[in-house]
Amino acid sequence: MAAKLGSFRYSLLEKRERTKGHSVWGFANEEGEEEQGQGQGLRCFSYRFISDKITGFLKVVQLVAGKAWQMGKSDPRKIIFSAKMGLALMLISLLIFWKQPIKELSQHSVWAILTVVVVFEFSIGATLSKGFNRGLGTLSAGGLALGMAELSQLAGQWEEVVIVISIFIIGFFSTYAKLYPTMKPYEYGLRVFVLTYCFVTVSGYKTGEFIHTAVTRFLLIALGAVVCLVVNIFFYPIWAGEDLHNLVAKNFMSVANSLEGCVKGYLNCVEYERVPSRILTYQASDDPVYSGYRSAVESTSQEEALLGFAIWEPPHGPYRSLGYPWKNYAKVSGALRHCAFMVMAMHGCILSEIQAPPERRQVFHHEIKRLGAEGARVLRELGNKVKKMEKLGPVDILFQVHDAAEELQNKIDRKSYLLVNAESWEIGNRPHSLAEPQNLLNLDSEEHKVLGSKSLSEAVLCLRTVTIPNSWDGLKNNVGANPTVPPRAPFGDLLKKQISWPVRTSLTTDAVPLLEESKTFENASALSLATFTSLLIEFIARLQNVVDSFEELSEKANFKEPDELPAAAREPIGLWSRLFRYLKF
Amino acid sequence: MAAKLGSFRYSLLEKRERTKGHSVWGFANEEGEEEQGQGQGLRCFSYRFISDKITGFLKVVQLVAGKAWQMGKSDPRKIIFSAKMGLALMLISLLIFWKQPIKELSQHSVWAILTVVVVFEFSIGATLSKGFNRGLGTLSAGGLALGMAELSQLAGQWEEVVIVISIFIIGFFSTYAKLYPTMKPYEYGLRVFVLTYCFVTVSGYKTGEFIHTAVTRFLLIALGAVVCLVVNIFFYPIWAGEDLHNLVAKNFMSVANSLEGCVKGYLNCVEYERVPSRILTYQASDDPVYSGYRSAVESTSQEEALLGFAIWEPPHGPYRSLGYPWKNYAKVSGALRHCAFMVMAMHGCILSEIQAPPERRQVFHHEIKRLGAEGARVLRELGNKVKKMEKLGPVDILFQVHDAAEELQNKIDRKSYLLVNAESWEIGNRPHSLAEPQNLLNLDSEEHKVLGSKSLSEAVLCLRTVTIPNSWDGLKNNVGANPTVPPRAPFGDLLKKQISWPVRTSLTTDAVPLLEESKTFENASALSLATFTSLLIEFIARLQNVVDSFEELSEKANFKEPDELPAAAREPIGLWSRLFRYLKF
């Protein structure tokens, strides 16, 4: 079952051997870097670590304090929000101090403080949502508890039993409802509902003042909520909608950067000596190409949360219309994500063990580069339009990129023989009779003058060829099995140097199976280039969705017309100003 | 700027026209199905809907109640958990009833209820984590408040000022710390910290009994926590670790199903008449292939949450060892996700507008099908091993799948001319001189007897060719521009029927550019098959990572040895039992 030379198994096993020392899976340095990042927060909280952590808590605080400055610098809103929280707490305690004469109220002051602590959220949408949940939960539970109190008094001596059973029933149904997926936004409200019901019932039963308990509690909660809202809305408001807006715009930039990095890396034949295990297990990594698309892909849950808050926010700032189409922002981002998956697959071509030979990539260098650049430009332009809330101009934003895609496809059409290895075709090799000497290279020589020598020098290094067995020379005459293909042209020789494996023959010498299998890898290499270009073109095709969803957003959200005049309208102005200039001189 | 026939622009615009009536982007039916699902929970909570929703609340409750039965049926643990919650609340209210003589305690009964409502979580890990947070927050804040009380008394007449300022400072720093990413698991603890500090300081100031307030509060919280833990652990415990374990195993099955569905769909030339806009914007959809890999990809956050809770859980059930490697479950799932992205890209080939012609797919039918089936088998086997907590046997689980990959790759080597269109090669066409008649088809005729006729009948329908212009016949003699390629063989004719576009010539008739561009799409189609196979092979290559990470997990978690004896060891037993049987008769 030993892996045969050049086969998939062989190459994969070989890779495994190579990376063993490096501990791809973190066996060796598991306690080292793997501990960093998100793992830290999780692992350090495990059961057995409790005692260690209580003593180490101050250390953690020290560490966090050290990084706190940087966090504040990168997002000053966090400092402002913290100050606002402090302010709200200060205000509520002041109110309680002042209210001291009314003993009844101040006894229940905890409700006001609790409300502030729980309801005061980063964005206004979140605060409103939680406040509404709390209000609704308290009101309905209070009402229900009062009704239940009346009912339980009818039960006479069974009063306690009725109360306890009602608590069980309320607890059961609220909790069950909470677990239903679409009830998630109501989750906090249901918690409050249960809490209020239990509290009002229990303390009302003891004091006999159901209404009093309920009303006092509600008043204090209202007080807390009012303080929250006033502080949160009137001091430097932080809007979830704005965050969502910026996040979507940022995603465009991340994917654009990733795409550019990916195309650049591919053309420069960047190879990972060992792929970081964080990428292989789809964890956060600081690889720029990877983190670009990953952040766009992973922002789903963040977007959903922001969307959930944004639709709570009243019209404000640039989001003036009632019923602002926040959902469409998420939709645009989703369409972008659909594109990002293609960038991810393209990155897969770089991560892959199977790599296209560099000199073949060079042939398509110009077209791939242009297409990548155009794609990134479209993404950036759309991202900017989202950010500036501008409609698309009359000029088709995709015209250039489609043109570039066609250029690449045409080139592929003409040179698709570079994407496959003809040597093992059962229908025979292709003839070089029509190809003029150096035809392949000359066609692109204006751009890649260096290519000829590059192919000769780097080909051997980059082709990942297995060691050529000694019987190579002996077999070589089999290459000419196709009598119509005399390798007479210099180009033929050049190509042979790169990819000349003998054709499939029925010879039963020992060397033949070896060579046969080594081709497997070889040919997969060439196809890898086809895959990359196909993925790139599919990425471009998916851009149409992004543009469509952006157009829908810009219509619904009433984006402003673009500042700059469209190219068609610009022409006469250009003429006019030229005339003006002409008259001036 | 009009799109030219057959060009990318043309085909994309055409697609747009076609789908306009169908409202790909949900313009028309936006208020319809788009409202369903996750959107519902979000949208119906927006600002302007509040009033509607309060009246409509009962309706929602009715709807949810209708679906509640199904939820309970699919996961009975949810019913059990709800009952446990009700039980815990009942117990705590009973305790408060009994404690009535001690007025002091029952006055603060709210703390016990609050603790139960807040700390009682679905899984034991979550309950422990929240309980610990609550305990730590309360203790440290209580201690700090007591210290602060002593300090503020020193301030004499400035006592109130010192207290209020301290509240601001505590509120500020706790909130700021809460915003730091790695502090997320402590978030609840920090909230409790602020709450307790404010409460103890404020109510202590008024009553002058700081210690009394703090101790009472702590005792009641402890009481609530004890009730929570007892009910949660001793009545049908629900473990987050088990959920994580099952989730990872389930992900394997989802990806396996997705892969199978994808390969099957591709070979059966399934086409989406219009791609659901939910897929184009990466929202949840009920497409089985899509939802399979999407659920695996989207489970990241769920896994993270479960991991965060699982490491809190004491050793239990099959997870006996201390410091159980829960993190490795997430790692295995991450490696699987890395594979799932390839399935996603393969699905992209089905979603794409550019489709490989069915008869070419048929050529590789057997190999692709086998590879897909083998890949799915490996995933299922790994999933089962994860589920059953079994180590890998001595037989290489990847042997068959690598073999299948090699078979496919060899086939591709021999037939890679099917992945490209040779007609427009600048180095000339390939010769058919060596290809025996029907060579291509005969080689596979044992499997695909129907192929010959299929190619003839279906080729025209599926090739997405543009209408052949009238000048076709006039141009046809240009096909023979390569004098060494006489289309004499039947195979040559067959192939011509499928893909015969004239070679690139310098003729300047009107028809030539049209035909030239129509090829663009044609050739991209052929390459699409290459892309699919490459992605499939890359998927297989990535399986190695999954196996590696599974092996690491099985080592660290001390999985049991496989039940069945390895193939090598089974042989003698087979012999023995045969002997035994022999002797018996």
Side-chain angles (χ1 to χ4, degrees):
Chain A
M1 222 186 278
K4 293 176 232 159
L5 189 68
S7 70
F8 268 101
R9 276 190 71 65
Y10 176 81
S11 61
L12 284 165
L13 287 176
E14 186 208 42
K15 175 190 169 194
R16 222 176 153 189
E17 281 303 310
R18 261 191 291 129
T19 50
K20 220 168 220 170
H22 293 288
S23 138
V24 171
W25 288 98
F27 269 114
N29 60 352
E30 203 249 340
E31 303 300 312
E33 51 162 297
E34 298 278 319
E35 289 284 283
Q36 304 299 322
Q38 96 198 93
Q40 198 183 39
L42 294 169
R43 180 177 265 251
C44 65
F45 240 90
S46 97
Y47 193 69
R48 65 197 162 128
F49 277 111
I50 295 177
S51 55
D52 302 59
K53 283 299 141 182
I54 292 174
T55 54
F57 187 70
L58 284 175
K59 262 190 189 172
V60 172
V61 168
Q62 204 179 347
L63 192 90
V64 169
K67 290 178 181 177
W69 176 245
Q70 290 191 317
M71 179 171 82
K73 241 169 97 178
S74 68
D75 191 359
R77 296 183 311 164
K78 290 187 176 173
I79 299 179
I80 292 167
F81 169 68
S82 306
K84 276 161 73 180
M85 179 75 170
L87 183 66
L89 285 171
M90 230 168 76
L91 279 177
I92 203 79
S93 22
L94 277 179
L95 282 174
I96 290 162
F97 280 143
W98 281 337
K99 287 221 161 125
Q100 211 173 352
I102 315 166
K103 275 227 163 157
E104 197 56 55
L105 271 183
S106 63
Q107 230 182 26
H108 295 98
S109 62
V110 62
W111 293 113
I113 297 173
L114 186 65
T115 304
V116 171
V117 169
V118 171
V119 168
F120 204 89
E121 290 279 345
F122 194 66
S123 67
I124 290 175
T127 306
L128 285 172
S129 152
K130 272 211 160 175
F132 171 73
N133 263 291
R134 190 164 185 88
L136 192 68
T138 308
L139 265 181
S140 54
L144 196 67
L146 292 184
M148 205 62 211
E150 291 297 313
L151 214 74
S152 64
Q153 273 167 0
L154 293 178
Q157 66 195 54
W158 295 99
E159 196 179 342
E160 285 95 337
V161 177
V162 170
I163 286 179
V164 169
I165 287 177
S166 80
I167 285 177
F168 177 82
I169 290 171
I170 292 289
F172 177 82
F173 281 106
S174 311
T175 310
Y176 195 64
K178 212 170 66 182
L179 294 173
Y180 196 76
T182 53
M183 290 297 279
K184 224 187 158 198
Y186 300 76
E187 203 257 350
Y188 179 67
L190 285 166
R191 252 185 224 275
V192 172
F193 180 78
V194 173
L195 174 62
T196 307
Y197 183 82
C198 293
F199 178 68
V200 171
T201 320
V202 168
S203 64
Y205 168 76
K206 285 186 301 186
T207 57
E209 294 167 332
F210 284 97
I211 296 180
H212 187 80
T213 312
V215 169
T216 317
R217 182 164 144 68
F218 189 73
L219 281 181
L220 276 160
I221 287 178
L223 181 71
V226 166
V227 168
C228 273
L229 287 183
V230 167
V231 171
N232 218 353
I233 294 180
F234 292 101
F235 294 84
Y236 195 92
I238 296 165
W239 302 97
E242 211 178 304
D243 274 9
L244 177 62
H245 182 185
N246 290 333
L247 178 65
V248 173
K250 205 192 98 214
N251 280 350
F252 272 95
M253 303 305 166
S254 315
V255 177
N257 290 340
S258 231
L259 174 69
E260 266 188 350
C262 202
V263 167
K264 203 176 154 195
Y266 193 77
L267 292 176
N268 294 341
C269 304
V270 168
E271 272 186 58
Y272 288 79
E273 215 172 285
R274 80 179 182 94
V275 179
S277 72
R278 294 201 148 270
I279 293 185
L280 292 178
T281 52
Y282 194 57
Q283 293 173 295
S285 164
D286 49 6
D287 184 282
V289 173
Y290 173 74
S291 61
Y293 63 75
R294 189 181 188 273
S295 74
V297 170
E298 283 297 283
S299 65
T300 331
S301 53
Q302 206 188 340
E303 258 166 42
E304 245 169 55
L306 286 175
L307 177 61
F309 297 142
I311 49 186
W312 271 93
E313 289 172 352
H316 62 276
Y319 321 105
R320 269 174 297 259
S321 64
L322 261 179
Y324 195 78
W326 292 116
K327 226 177 110 183
N328 284 84
Y329 279 95
K331 226 171 170 181
V332 170
S333 198
L336 174 68
R337 208 163 285 132
H338 195 60
C339 283
F341 290 130
M342 279 297 118
V343 180
M344 186 183 255
M346 280 152 70
H347 191 217
C349 291
I350 298 182
L351 297 175
S352 172
E353 185 72 5
I354 301 160
Q355 292 278 337
E359 65 284 351
R360 297 196 179 189
R361 302 187 202 188
Q362 283 306 316
V363 175
F364 300 97
H365 186 280
H366 171 70
E367 287 75 15
I368 291 178
K369 197 176 164 190
R370 185 184 158 211
L371 189 51
E374 284 294 336
R377 188 191 55 76
V378 168
L379 285 182
R380 290 220 176 83
E381 202 171 325
L382 281 173
N384 274 328
K385 291 224 174 259
V386 168
K387 200 168 183 87
K388 292 195 285 180
M389 305 179 78
E390 245 178 40
K391 276 186 185 166
L392 287 176
V395 182
D396 187 351
I397 194 174
L398 292 176
F399 186 77
Q400 291 295 327
V401 80
H402 282 170
D403 191 56
E406 222 158 307
E407 193 190 353
L408 173 61
Q409 188 61 53
N410 282 331
K411 181 87 165 238
I412 291 173
D413 288 354
R414 274 177 287 132
K415 294 180 188 292
S416 58
Y417 51 85
L418 289 174
L419 306 178
V420 287
N421 279 355
E423 275 66 20
S424 46
W425 286 358
E426 57 196 15
I427 59 162
N429 276 323
R430 63 168 179 278
H432 300 294
S433 45
L434 265 191
E436 301 100 61
Q438 293 291 345
N439 185 14
L440 160 70
L441 299 174
N442 282 345
L443 266 171
D444 289 299
S445 58
E446 61 277 10
E447 295 141 16
H448 309 289
K449 291 224 161 61
V450 86
L451 190 64
S453 57
K454 209 171 184 180
S455 305
L456 285 163
S457 59
E458 285 186 18
V460 185
L461 285 173
C462 299
L463 269 168
R464 296 165 176 266
T465 52
V466 294
T467 357
I468 295 166
N470 289 336
S471 53
W472 175 257
D473 286 327
L475 281 168
K476 209 171 184 181
N477 46 6
N478 283 319
V479 180
N482 182 350
T484 65
V485 188
R488 51 176 184 182
F491 163 64
D493 277 349
L494 179 66
L495 206 72
K496 200 144 298 297
K497 202 144 212 154
Q498 294 165 30
I499 49 162
S500 62
W501 298 104
V503 281
R504 193 182 167 87
T505 61
S506 54
L507 278 175
T508 46
T509 58
D510 277 0
V512 172
L514 270 180
L515 284 166
E516 230 170 73
E517 273 128 20
S518 63
K519 282 180 308 187
T520 303
F521 216 65
E522 197 58 26
N523 288 357
S525 297
L527 271 183
S528 161
L529 181 56
T531 307
F532 188 84
T533 53
S534 291
L535 293 173
L536 185 56
I537 286 170
E538 177 64 22
F539 170 84
I540 300 303
R542 288 186 177 186
L543 279 180
Q544 185 67 54
N545 296 324
V546 184
V547 171
D548 285 347
S549 56
F550 174 77
E551 273 178 353
E552 190 189 339
L553 167 68
S554 65
E555 278 305 318
K556 286 198 180 174
N558 260 325
F559 279 8
K560 62 174 181 281
E561 296 296 330
D563 282 342
E564 44 166 35
L565 281 150
R570 211 187 291 146
E571 197 51 35
I573 288 185
L575 197 76
W576 178 256
S577 54
R578 247 184 297 154
L579 257 170
F580 188 73
R581 255 184 253 131
Y582 191 70
L583 289 167
K584 227 171 163 183
F585 287 108
Chain B
M1 221 187 279
K4 293 176 235 158
L5 189 69
S7 68
F8 268 101
R9 276 189 70 65
Y10 175 81
S11 61
L12 284 165
L13 287 177
E14 187 209 40
K15 175 190 171 194
R16 222 177 154 190
E17 282 302 311
R18 261 191 291 129
T19 49
K20 218 168 223 171
H22 293 289
S23 139
V24 170
W25 287 98
F27 269 115
N29 60 353
E30 203 248 339
E31 301 301 314
E33 51 162 295
E34 298 279 318
E35 288 282 283
Q36 304 299 323
Q38 96 200 93
Q40 197 183 42
L42 294 169
R43 179 178 266 249
C44 66
F45 240 91
S46 96
Y47 193 69
R48 64 196 162 124
F49 278 112
I50 295 177
S51 55
D52 302 60
K53 282 299 141 183
I54 292 175
T55 54
F57 186 71
L58 284 174
K59 262 190 189 172
V60 172
V61 168
Q62 204 179 347
L63 192 91
V64 169
K67 289 178 181 178
W69 176 246
Q70 289 191 318
M71 180 171 81
K73 242 169 97 178
S74 68
D75 190 358
R77 297 182 310 164
K78 290 187 177 175
I79 300 179
I80 291 167
F81 170 67
S82 306
K84 276 162 72 180
M85 179 75 169
L87 183 66
L89 284 171
M90 232 168 74
L91 279 178
I92 202 80
S93 19
L94 278 179
L95 283 174
I96 290 161
F97 281 143
W98 281 336
K99 287 220 161 128
Q100 212 173 351
I102 314 165
K103 275 228 164 159
E104 198 55 55
L105 270 184
S106 64
Q107 229 182 26
H108 294 98
S109 63
V110 62
W111 293 114
I113 298 173
L114 187 65
T115 304
V116 171
V117 169
V118 171
V119 168
F120 204 90
E121 291 279 344
F122 195 68
S123 67
I124 290 176
T127 306
L128 284 172
S129 152
K130 272 212 159 175
F132 171 72
N133 263 292
R134 189 164 186 89
L136 192 68
T138 308
L139 266 181
S140 54
L144 195 68
L146 292 184
M148 205 62 212
E150 291 298 313
L151 214 75
S152 65
Q153 273 166 2
L154 292 178
Q157 66 194 56
W158 295 100
E159 195 180 343
E160 284 96 339
V161 177
V162 170
I163 286 179
V164 168
I165 288 176
S166 80
I167 285 178
F168 178 83
I169 290 171
I170 292 289
F172 177 83
F173 281 106
S174 312
T175 311
Y176 195 64
K178 212 169 64 182
L179 294 173
Y180 196 76
T182 53
M183 290 297 278
K184 224 189 156 195
Y186 300 77
E187 203 258 349
Y188 179 67
L190 284 166
R191 251 183 223 274
V192 172
F193 180 78
V194 173
L195 175 62
T196 308
Y197 183 82
C198 293
F199 178 69
V200 171
T201 319
V202 168
S203 64
Y205 169 76
K206 285 186 299 186
T207 58
E209 294 167 333
F210 285 98
I211 295 179
H212 187 80
T213 311
V215 170
T216 316
R217 181 164 144 69
F218 189 73
L219 281 181
L220 276 159
I221 287 178
L223 181 71
V226 166
V227 168
C228 273
L229 287 183
V230 167
V231 171
N232 219 353
I233 293 179
F234 291 101
F235 294 84
Y236 195 92
I238 297 165
W239 303 96
E242 211 178 303
D243 274 8
L244 177 62
H245 182 184
N246 290 333
L247 179 65
V248 173
K250 206 193 97 213
N251 281 349
F252 272 95
M253 302 307 164
S254 316
V255 177
N257 290 340
S258 231
L259 174 69
E260 266 188 348
C262 203
V263 167
K264 203 176 155 197
Y266 192 77
L267 292 176
N268 294 341
C269 303
V270 167
E271 271 185 60
Y272 288 79
E273 214 173 286
R274 80 181 181 94
V275 178
S277 73
R278 294 201 149 270
I279 294 185
L280 292 178
T281 53
Y282 194 58
Q283 292 173 294
S285 164
D286 49 5
D287 184 282
V289 173
Y290 173 74
S291 61
Y293 62 75
R294 189 181 188 273
S295 74
V297 169
E298 283 298 284
S299 66
T300 331
S301 52
Q302 207 188 339
E303 258 165 42
E304 245 167 57
L306 287 175
L307 176 61
F309 296 142
I311 49 185
W312 271 93
E313 290 172 351
H316 62 276
Y319 321 105
R320 270 173 296 261
S321 64
L322 260 179
Y324 196 77
W326 292 116
K327 228 177 107 183
N328 284 85
Y329 279 95
K331 227 172 169 180
V332 170
S333 198
L336 174 68
R337 208 162 285 132
H338 195 60
C339 282
F341 290 130
M342 279 296 119
V343 180
M344 186 184 255
M346 280 153 70
H347 191 218
C349 291
I350 298 181
L351 297 175
S352 172
E353 184 72 4
I354 302 160
Q355 292 277 338
E359 65 283 351
R360 297 196 180 191
R361 301 187 203 189
Q362 283 305 317
V363 174
F364 300 98
H365 185 282
H366 170 70
E367 287 76 14
I368 290 178
K369 198 177 164 190
R370 185 185 159 208
L371 189 51
E374 283 294 337
R377 187 191 57 75
V378 168
L379 285 182
R380 290 222 176 81
E381 201 171 324
L382 282 174
N384 274 328
K385 290 225 174 259
V386 169
K387 199 165 185 89
K388 292 195 284 179
M389 305 178 77
E390 247 179 39
K391 276 187 186 166
L392 287 176
V395 182
D396 188 350
I397 192 173
L398 291 175
F399 186 77
Q400 290 294 328
V401 80
H402 282 170
D403 191 57
E406 223 159 304
E407 193 190 352
L408 173 61
Q409 187 62 53
N410 282 330
K411 180 87 165 240
I412 291 173
D413 288 355
R414 275 177 289 131
K415 293 181 188 290
S416 58
Y417 50 86
L418 289 174
L419 306 178
V420 288
N421 280 354
E423 276 66 20
S424 47
W425 286 358
E426 59 196 14
I427 59 164
N429 277 322
R430 63 168 181 277
H432 300 293
S433 46
L434 264 191
E436 300 100 61
Q438 294 290 347
N439 186 14
L440 160 71
L441 299 173
N442 281 344
L443 266 172
D444 287 299
S445 57
E446 61 276 10
E447 296 139 14
H448 308 287
K449 291 221 162 63
V450 87
L451 190 64
S453 58
K454 210 171 186 180
S455 304
L456 284 163
S457 60
E458 285 186 17
V460 186
L461 285 173
C462 298
L463 268 168
R464 295 165 177 268
T465 52
V466 294
T467 356
I468 295 165
N470 289 336
S471 54
W472 175 258
D473 285 327
L475 281 168
K476 208 170 184 182
N477 46 5
N478 283 317
V479 180
N482 181 349
T484 64
V485 188
R488 48 172 189 185
F491 164 64
D493 278 347
L494 178 66
L495 208 72
K496 200 149 298 296
K497 203 145 211 155
Q498 293 166 30
I499 51 162
S500 62
W501 298 104
V503 282
R504 192 183 168 88
T505 61
S506 54
L507 279 175
T508 46
T509 59
D510 277 1
V512 171
L514 269 179
L515 284 165
E516 229 168 71
E517 271 129 21
S518 63
K519 282 179 309 186
T520 303
F521 217 66
E522 196 59 25
N523 288 357
S525 297
L527 271 183
S528 161
L529 180 56
T531 307
F532 188 83
T533 53
S534 291
L535 292 172
L536 185 56
I537 286 170
E538 176 63 23
F539 169 83
I540 301 302
R542 288 185 177 186
L543 280 181
Q544 186 67 56
N545 296 326
V546 185
V547 172
D548 285 347
S549 57
F550 174 77
E551 273 178 352
E552 190 188 338
L553 167 67
S554 64
E555 278 305 318
K556 287 198 179 175
N558 259 326
F559 279 8
K560 60 175 182 281
E561 295 296 330
D563 282 342
E564 44 166 35
L565 281 149
R570 210 188 291 147
E571 196 52 32
I573 286 185
L575 197 75
W576 177 255
S577 54
R578 249 184 296 156
L579 259 170
F580 187 75
R581 255 182 254 130
Y582 192 72
L583 289 168
K584 226 172 162 183
F585 288 108

